[in-house]
Amino acid sequence: MLASVSAGVPASGYASKSAHVEPVFTIARLDADPVPARVLAGEFNEQFVTGTPADRIDGAGRTARWWRLTALQPVPAEAMPHLVLHSPHLARVEVWAPGEVIPQRSALMGPDANDRFSTRALLIPLDGLAAGEHIHLRLATSTPRPIRISIDPLAQVHREDLKYAALRAAVLTTLLVLAILAFGFWVAIGEHSYGFLMLTLLSQLCYMVSIGGELRVLPVIAELLGTDPRISRLFALGALITSVAFLGRYLELGDRQPRLHRLLKHCNIAAAVLVVLTLISVSGVVPLLFNLLALLVGALLFGGGVHGAMRGQRAAWFVVVAWLPLLALVSLRLGERMGLWLNPAWVDYAFPSGLAIAALALTVGLADKMQQLRRDRDQASRMASYDTLTGATSRSVIEQHLKGAVADAHRLDRPLSVVFFDIDRFKQINDVYGHRVGDQCLRIIAMRTRNRLRTYDQMGRFGGDEMIVVLPDTDLAEAVARYAFKLMAYKDEYEVARLYTSGEFRRQVEQQFEGDYKLRFHLAPPLLAKKDAQGRLVKREFGPWLFTAFKLVAKLKFLRGGPLDVFGYTEERRSERQLIEAYFGTIEGLLGTLDRGNVDLAVQIASIPEHIRGFGYVKHAHLERARAREAELLAQWRNPLRLVQVA
């Protein structure tokens, strides 16, 4: 019965039920590369050195190295055994089974590649072995990297191939998808961190397919690049350089940890030097230096992540989670590369998985950071756009809204209302009760104002106690503004005197008449004119001297509305001024019960002054009719007709 290649571990297909199983072969090494015929003839049997690990072989770097496997017990041919060289990288092997003169050659890429199996190993079919028979191997590798060797039945080979193919497909697909997502985010939002992440992921992806053998699906590329060990080293160095650049930006090391940032910059310079060395040399020293540099960079970044996490940096936790297992795997691989220990078989599978998991964790971390930056930006934008005291929009924002609303009103020919108000005696409130009470007063007024606005209205704090409200599509506001102005713009004696003495009246007369002319005025001043039988004022004639009186009256307009305004005591002026007060009182009463259902009726009531025209008795007659119409509309307002739908 055939046991496992690893002491104490049974191989599937040849398993034993015993707890301890002896190895199936011994391994001897020849540190030379003589002609194959002489080796097969046994000339160098005495020079083969034993004492190497029971399941590992390695190359000599620049030259090929011979190995001899001696079967300790028979290997039956019925299970179709295969000699398996696990994770061979770019190794090329020639195998002479017992009695064979022509070797079987195998490699992951090139003419010796075997497409019937996955790229996890080099596989050589065997016709069985008798105890004591030898298998000779001539191994050529670019670096003295240990390669695990075993003899497995074909059924186990297929099972392992399926598992390996599934794992590699998952890892490579993950890296590719994450790289595409990073590219999309980079293009969409212009954040350079995503660009560095994309380059890191693509470099890792190219590194894995170059050492894993997947390039052989593209024969032309595999022929050009697949057999050159420098290609995978360049991809690895590219991944190292871009990952340092990415994590430096991601952790904000330039601002938060400048000393570490400088150290990592020097590490990237060292990596650039290794790039140059890689281009000019295939020495095995370069990958050793790279592994040491990668371990140093990993330790520095892990330390930076721990330092940032301890200081409350959320992004640093993702680095710690992603970097800890990856750092452990790199350390294991480097230790094996330096001959300090032999890694278990699962390390070869864990390393690519660790890369994919780390990439996924960092992508999630970067997305989380971008989301946090967006929240911070939105918060900052809100703080800049809104007044923190009142909750109203800031002055700059309300001015932008106002400009846009004015442009829309002109373009769409729609009404727009703008309300500018302040708080009476606000300074006195601050002086007497303190700024805390004043601030609370501002909050209450702003809150009550917002509660009366529609969802698309805008309110902003202009400064101090001054507020602006922008009200688009306000037919009611337009009606109030228009007809309040109409009522307030009545022509009293001061206004008539100003019109006659402004100079415009004299120019119009001179344009119509030439030569000598005399002006006479036919007016009915309320204080001087008589009334007829119907109580109407009768006009009388006045001479040119009236111009002098007009000039005097125009200068006395500052008396308007005061106790010394003699014209304000006439019935007509009192009526006009009372009409203004009554109009605003009516509008104030409408606002208390205004809703979407009665806004059209409110517009009709606010438009009542449209029917008040003329002067004197003509205006009085129109006023009576307008009051009758207003009473009719107000009756509808107070007692609205409600239609009830009968089912």
Side-chain angles (χ1 to χ4, degrees), residues 75 182 226 327 350 366 379 395 434 464 472 476 587:
V75 177
L327 185 61
L366 182 57
Q379 180 66 20
R395 176 171 178 168
L476 176 59
I587 297 301

Side-chain angles (χ1 to χ4, degrees), residues 157-174:
V157 169
H158 287 326
R159 284 196 300 270
E160 295 297 326
D161 277 356
L162 288 174
K163 291 191 292 184
Y164 178 83
L167 174 64
R168 294 289 289 189
V171 170
L172 297 179
T173 302
T174 299

Side-chain angles (χ1 to χ4, degrees), residues 2 27 55 64 92 107 154 185 227 273 298 305 362 365 389 442 449 489 579:
L2 187 62
I27 298 178
D55 63 344
R92 299 180 306 280
L154 183 61
F185 283 122
T227 58
V273 173
L362 291 177
L389 177 62
L442 281 174
T449 303
L579 192 60

Side-chain angles (χ1 to χ4, degrees), residues 282-323:
V282 293
S283 171
V285 177
V286 175
L288 177 61
L289 294 176
F290 166 76
N291 286 328
L292 291 172
L293 182 60
L295 186 62
L296 174 61
V297 169
L300 290 175
L301 288 172
F302 180 74
V306 173
H307 182 271
M310 293 177 63
R311 291 181 173 268
Q313 188 180 6
R314 180 182 175 91
W317 284 107
F318 289 95
V319 174
V320 173
V321 171
W323 220 247

Side-chain angles (χ1 to χ4, degrees), residues 175-496:
L175 292 177
L176 180 60
V177 170
L178 293 178
I180 294 173
L181 288 176
F183 175 75
F185 283 122
W186 179 34
V187 172
I189 66 179
E191 172 55 45
H192 295 303
S193 296
Y194 281 109
F196 286 116
L197 177 60
M198 177 199 67
L199 293 176
T200 301
L201 295 172
L202 289 178
S203 299
Q204 292 176 351
L205 179 66
C206 293
Y207 169 73
M208 292 187 63
V209 298
S210 63
I211 68 170
E214 284 81 8
L215 276 179
R216 71 186 187 186
V217 300
L218 304 172
V220 177
I221 298 178
E223 184 67 25
L224 293 175
L225 306 178
T227 58
D228 190 342
R230 295 176 298 177
I231 300 301
S232 60
R233 297 173 188 174
L234 290 174
F235 285 137
L237 286 166
L240 179 66
I241 293 172
T242 53
S243 63
V244 169
F246 162 67
L247 290 171
R249 294 178 64 91
Y250 176 67
L251 293 177
E252 302 172 6
L253 296 180
D255 297 329
R256 295 175 178 268
Q257 301 180 56
R259 294 180 61 184
L260 177 60
H261 191 240
R262 287 193 295 270
L263 285 175
L264 290 172
K265 280 187 175 180
H266 289 104
C267 290
N268 262 5
I269 294 174
V273 173
L274 290 179
V275 169
V276 176
L277 293 177
T278 300
L279 292 174
I280 63 178
S281 173
V282 293
S283 171
V285 177
V286 175
L288 177 61
L289 294 176
F290 166 76
N291 286 328
L292 291 172
L293 182 60
L295 186 62
L296 174 61
V297 169
L300 290 175
L301 288 172
F302 180 74
V306 173
H307 182 271
M310 293 177 63
R311 291 181 173 268
Q313 188 180 6
R314 180 182 175 91
W317 284 107
F318 289 95
V319 174
V320 173
V321 171
W323 220 247
L324 180 59
L326 197 59
L327 185 61
L329 290 170
V330 170
S331 301
L332 289 174
R333 288 166 63 90
L334 179 59
E336 183 180 61
R337 173 70 177 77
M338 297 176 67
L340 300 178
W341 55 69
L342 294 175
N343 291 325
W346 59 263
V347 174
D348 292 333
Y349 295 89
F351 184 71
S353 302
L355 284 177
I357 294 173
L360 182 59
L362 291 177
T363 303
V364 173
L366 182 57
D368 178 78
K369 182 179 180 181
M370 292 298 105
Q371 185 68 20
Q372 183 62 41
L373 289 176
R374 174 172 291 184
R375 287 192 293 266
D376 294 342
R377 182 198 63 189
D378 293 343
Q379 180 66 20
S381 176
R382 178 174 178 81
M383 292 178 65
S385 302
Y386 289 88
D387 176 60
T388 56
L389 177 62
T390 62
T393 55
S394 62
R395 176 171 178 168
S396 59
V397 174
I398 196 63
E399 287 178 344
Q400 293 177 1
H401 284 308
L402 180 58
K403 290 179 182 179
V406 170
D408 291 341
H410 285 299
R411 179 171 54 87
L412 302 174
D413 193 24
R414 296 293 300 165
L416 171 68
S417 299
V418 180
V419 180
F420 184 91
F421 69 91
D422 59 6
I423 302 175
D424 293 340
R425 296 180 293 277
F426 182 70
K427 184 178 183 302
Q428 183 178 352
I429 295 174
N430 278 334
D431 293 341
V432 175
Y433 300 102
H435 289 280
R436 179 176 298 180
V437 175
D439 291 347
Q440 187 64 20
C441 180
L442 281 174
R443 292 191 193 96
I444 293 174
I445 290 177
M447 179 185 65
R448 291 186 176 180
T449 303
R450 282 197 304 271
N451 290 341
R452 301 305 297 268
L453 299 180
R454 299 164 298 180
T455 55
Y456 50 86
D457 294 333
Q458 295 288 337
M459 183 188 75
R461 186 181 180 188
F462 198 72
D465 61 328
E466 299 170 338
M467 301 283 185
I468 290 182
V469 181
V470 180
L471 306 165
D473 296 327
T474 46
D475 295 321
L476 176 59
E478 182 185 26
V480 172
R482 175 180 297 175
Y483 295 113
F485 175 79
K486 176 180 175 65
L487 294 177
M488 296 172 68
Y490 61 86
K491 290 183 180 179
D492 59 1
E493 288 75 8
Y494 302 106
E495 180 64 11
V496 172

